[in-house]
């Protein structure tokens, strides 16, 4: 704990740096290398099954099917397993707002409210305060797992992981010397991405230029064209069951009677969490259709709805996504920062970590048709989102992507944590970088064994998987 300066009521930069260096006594930087499971480590399949018990039953086989596509896809859905693995490890005690699931595919290009293209974290379902190194370890291990999927030699995998952690460490050291508001206003825009790509040259320049151009086309209007069709009743969501199932189709099931009323209640309650000017903006739209949507890998089976709203006419759309927010996988392993509403937790974490948030971001709580209360957060569906595909990247491009992710994560952590203490802990040498590359290799080995355990569960009939 930092002791406030008697003179000013706040610790001085020197005191904050001393706090960071003292944290090395609790957890030397080299202690973050390598990973050995605890003797009583839970069965990984059981951890996944416990999560599935809270989800829509008919969608759970899709979740398993997606996780079984590859060790990398499995890793995307295994945040709960890794949270349990990280908790017993030596901890720095330097807390930040954690993403909680900082794997590489949760970093992407996004639109700011000012219509600038930026690179940032995009998924905060598991966000909670905790030790900064948990996010860095999940990111580094994810890059090694992606490198293995691409057939890169171990030397390349380690180089990519070290480069990512080095970018995190050096960006944090830069933030340590900046004014507080300058840290808060820092962002990674398309120009910075192009500059980094130019330093590599070749494929990186061409691929990043294509990615940024493509992201600018992924607007809400493109989503509108892709996800809707013209019907006798006007624009409505296009069925693609079980991935997208409009409410009209679900209504054939007697258990779904009353779902429309529930969702209209959800939208009304969510609107009250928006600032006054955005509530005013939302009133210009009317809700015309709703559909259940399957999203992601780890999130499959949570309740997620696409909401189609129209403004002036049928060519003036707003697409919202209402996604169930369950307790963070970190909650069992951290203390403090508890929320009565898990959707509020997600929104608060996102606003703290993300440079530029969605203007329609909000939360709510509704009672479902089964009588169970559930929390949701709501945001726009697609708005200049550029999604990376690490499994298609060569070594140079994946190294660039890893550096971008590491630097972006440092910016998010610097907003909520103490960049001076963190920078002092990390230091100027590559000791932390090398330790995390070692950890990433050993955890990638464990991830492959856990993936094999899920495959065995499918083969023996313990679980049912469906690949779509």
């Amino acid at each position: 704990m930092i002791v406030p300066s008697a003179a000013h009521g706040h610790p001085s930069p020197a005191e904050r740096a001393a706090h960071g260096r003292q944290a090395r006594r609790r957890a030397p930087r080299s202690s973050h290398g390598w990973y050995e499971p605890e003797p009583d480590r839970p069965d990984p399949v059981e951890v996944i099954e416990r999560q599935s018990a809270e989800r829509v039953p008919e969608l759970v086989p899709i979740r398993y099917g997606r996780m079984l596509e590859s060790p990398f896809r499995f890793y995307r859905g295994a945040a709960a397993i890794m949270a349990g693995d990280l908790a017993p490890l030596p901890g720095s005690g330097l807390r930040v707002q954690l993403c909680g699931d900082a794997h590489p595919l949760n970093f992407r290009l996004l639109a700011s409210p000012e219509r600038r293209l930026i690179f940032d974290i995009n998924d905060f379902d598991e966000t909670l305060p905790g030790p900064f190194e948990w996010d860095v370890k999940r990111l580094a291990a994810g890059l090694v797992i992606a490198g293995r999927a691409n057939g890169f030699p171990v030397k390349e995998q380690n180089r990519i992981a070290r480069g990512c952690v080095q970018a995190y460490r050096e960006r944090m050291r830069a933030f340590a010397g900046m004014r507080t508001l300058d840290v808060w206003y820092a962002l990674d825009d398309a120009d910075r991405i192009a500059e980094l790509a130019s330093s590599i040259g070749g494929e990186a320049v061409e691929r990043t230029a294509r990615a940024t151009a493509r992201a600018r086309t992924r607007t809400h209007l493109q989503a509108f064209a892709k996800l809707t069709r013209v019907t006798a009743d006007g624009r409505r969501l296009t069925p693609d069951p079980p991935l997208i199932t409009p409410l009209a189709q679900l209504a054939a099931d007697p258990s779904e009677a009353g779902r429309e009323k529930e969702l209209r209640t959800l939208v009304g309650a969510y609107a009250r969490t928006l600032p006054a000017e955005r509530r005013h903006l939302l009133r210009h739209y009317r809700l015309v259709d709703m559909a259940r949507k399957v999203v992601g890998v780890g999130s499959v089976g949570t309740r997620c709805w696409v909401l189609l709203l129209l403004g002036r006419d049928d060519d003036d759309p707003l697409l919202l996504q209402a996604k169930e927010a369950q307790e963070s996988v970190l909650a069992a392993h951290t203390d403090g920062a508890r929320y009565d509403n898990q959707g509020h937790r997600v929104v608060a974490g996102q606003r703290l970590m993300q440079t530029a948030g969605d203007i329609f971001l909000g939360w709510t709580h509704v009672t479902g048709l089964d009588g169970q209360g559930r929390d949701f957060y709501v945001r726009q569906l697609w708005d200049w989102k550029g999604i990376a595909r690490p499994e298609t990247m060569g070594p140079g491009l994946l190294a660039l992507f890893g550096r971008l992710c590491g630097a972006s994560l440092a910016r998010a952590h610097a907003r909520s944590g103490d960049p001076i203490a963190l920078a002092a802990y990390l230091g100027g040498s590559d000791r932390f970088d090398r330790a995390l590359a070692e950890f990433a290799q050993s955890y990638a080995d464990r991830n492959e064994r856990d993936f094999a355990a899920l495959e065995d569960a499918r083969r023996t009939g313990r679980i049912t998987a469906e690949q779509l």
Side-chain angles (χ1 to χ4, degrees):
M1 180 176 179
I2 300 177
V3 179
S5 165
H8 305 291
H10 293 284
S12 68
E15 289 171 322
R16 292 160 67 185
H19 177 66
R21 287 190 293 272
Q22 288 167 4
R24 296 180 189 175
R25 299 176 186 173
R26 288 191 296 271
R29 289 164 294 174
S30 59
S31 71
H32 296 294
W34 199 247
Y35 165 76
E36 288 288 347
E38 294 290 297
D40 58 349
R41 182 180 191 253
D43 170 21
V45 178
E46 184 179 331
V47 173
I48 297 169
E49 286 179 318
R50 282 201 301 268
Q51 284 188 303
S52 297
E54 301 296 322
R55 305 193 177 196
V56 179
E58 62 264 32
L59 300 181
V60 169
I62 299 175
R63 182 192 187 207
Y64 294 150
R66 290 187 176 183
M67 292 182 71
L68 284 167
E69 289 178 16
S70 69
F72 184 64
R73 297 274 277 185
F74 175 88
Y75 187 69
R76 289 178 59 188
I81 296 173
M82 192 169 191
D85 290 334
L86 291 172
L89 300 180
S92 69
L94 300 177
R95 290 166 63 85
V96 299
Q97 184 73 27
L98 294 172
C99 164
D101 190 15
H103 67 70
L105 278 180
N106 277 340
F107 293 78
R108 61 187 59 177
L109 293 165
L110 303 165
S112 75
E114 299 78 21
R115 316 318 292 156
R116 294 180 67 180
L117 191 61
I118 61 173
F119 186 81
D120 212 332
I121 305 171
N122 184 59
D123 191 309
F124 299 89
D125 286 5
E126 311 300 346
T127 186
L128 266 183
F132 84 96
E133 64 268 20
W134 289 8
D135 270 353
V136 189
K137 287 179 175 180
R138 183 145 176 83
L139 176 57
L143 288 166
V144 166
I145 293 166
R148 291 186 179 189
N150 294 355
F152 298 166
V154 171
K155 184 177 180 180
E156 283 290 354
Q157 298 168 24
N158 287 337
R159 182 179 71 86
I160 291 166
R162 284 198 307 270
C164 166
V165 181
Q166 178 184 357
Y168 178 94
R169 177 174 54 82
E170 291 179 348
R171 189 84 182 277
M172 192 64 73
R173 287 171 64 82
F175 284 134
M178 292 169 60
R179 296 181 178 90
T180 302
L181 279 179
D182 291 337
V183 173
W184 189 263
Y185 289 138
L187 54 77
D188 299 316
D189 60 14
D191 292 339
R192 173 178 167 80
I193 297 170
E195 180 183 339
L196 287 172
S198 296
S199 69
I200 295 177
E203 177 197 21
V205 175
E206 181 182 347
R207 287 282 296 270
T208 54
R210 284 206 308 267
T212 53
R214 188 165 55 246
R216 287 189 170 97
T217 70
R218 288 175 62 87
T219 65
H220 71 290
L221 292 177
Q222 187 193 50
F224 178 60
K226 181 177 180 180
L227 297 177
T228 70
R229 61 180 180 173
V230 177
T231 71
D233 297 319
R235 279 280 184 175
R236 294 295 184 266
L237 293 163
T238 303
D240 183 21
L243 303 182
I244 299 178
T245 311
L247 194 62
Q249 292 190 2
L250 289 172
D253 182 347
S255 68
E256 292 292 322
R259 183 71 70 186
E260 180 176 354
K261 180 179 178 181
E262 174 193 332
L263 293 177
R264 289 189 179 277
T265 299
L266 182 154
V267 173
Y270 142 75
R272 291 192 287 273
T273 69
L274 296 176
E277 76 280 3
R278 295 173 192 177
R279 287 200 303 274
H280 175 79
L281 176 59
L282 189 63
R283 290 190 197 107
H284 288 281
Y285 294 90
R286 66 190 190 280
L287 181 61
V288 299
D289 202 11
M290 309 154 233
R292 189 178 69 189
K293 190 175 189 294
V294 173
V295 292
V297 177
S299 295
V300 174
T302 56
R303 291 149 185 86
C304 181
W305 299 93
V306 179
L307 309 170
L308 172 61
L309 299 91
L310 296 174
R312 182 190 60 194
D313 52 33
D314 278 9
D315 292 320
D316 182 17
L318 173 63
L319 281 164
L320 298 177
Q321 175 180 281
K323 187 177 180 185
E324 182 182 3
Q326 299 179 333
E327 188 174 59
S328 168
V329 297
L330 304 180
H333 312 290
T334 59
D335 54 6
R338 294 295 181 258
Y339 285 85
D340 292 336
N341 186 299
Q342 297 302 316
H344 188 191
R345 171 186 59 78
V346 172
V347 170
Q350 179 167 344
R351 288 176 176 167
L352 185 56
M353 297 185 73
Q354 204 175 51
T355 303
D358 182 351
I359 65 170
F360 286 104
L361 184 65
W363 71 92
T364 189
H365 176 88
V366 294
T367 300
L369 300 181
D370 57 1
Q372 296 295 313
R374 294 187 176 89
D375 300 329
F376 288 82
Y377 68 94
V378 182
R379 64 181 179 181
Q380 285 190 81
L381 182 70
W382 284 16
D383 192 21
W384 279 19
K385 288 185 180 178
I387 301 173
R389 298 179 62 195
E391 69 276 14
T392 69
M393 296 178 181
L397 194 58
L398 188 58
L400 169 63
F401 181 65
R403 287 168 57 192
L404 283 169
C405 293
S408 181
L409 184 61
R411 178 184 38 71
H413 284 177
R415 289 166 63 96
S416 63
D418 182 350
I420 294 178
L422 288 165
Y425 178 84
L426 294 167
S429 74
D430 67 351
R431 188 171 300 173
F432 187 72
D433 316 356
R434 289 185 284 107
L436 260 68
E438 185 180 8
F439 168 86
Q441 286 291 345
S442 57
Y443 201 81
D445 291 342
R446 170 52 53 186
N447 181 74
E448 289 177 1
R449 289 192 281 273
D450 291 348
F451 172 72
L454 192 65
E455 284 189 314
D456 287 343
R458 175 178 59 178
R459 188 165 45 250
T460 61
R462 176 176 173 180
I463 65 165
T464 300
E466 182 179 356
Q467 292 185 325
L468 296 174

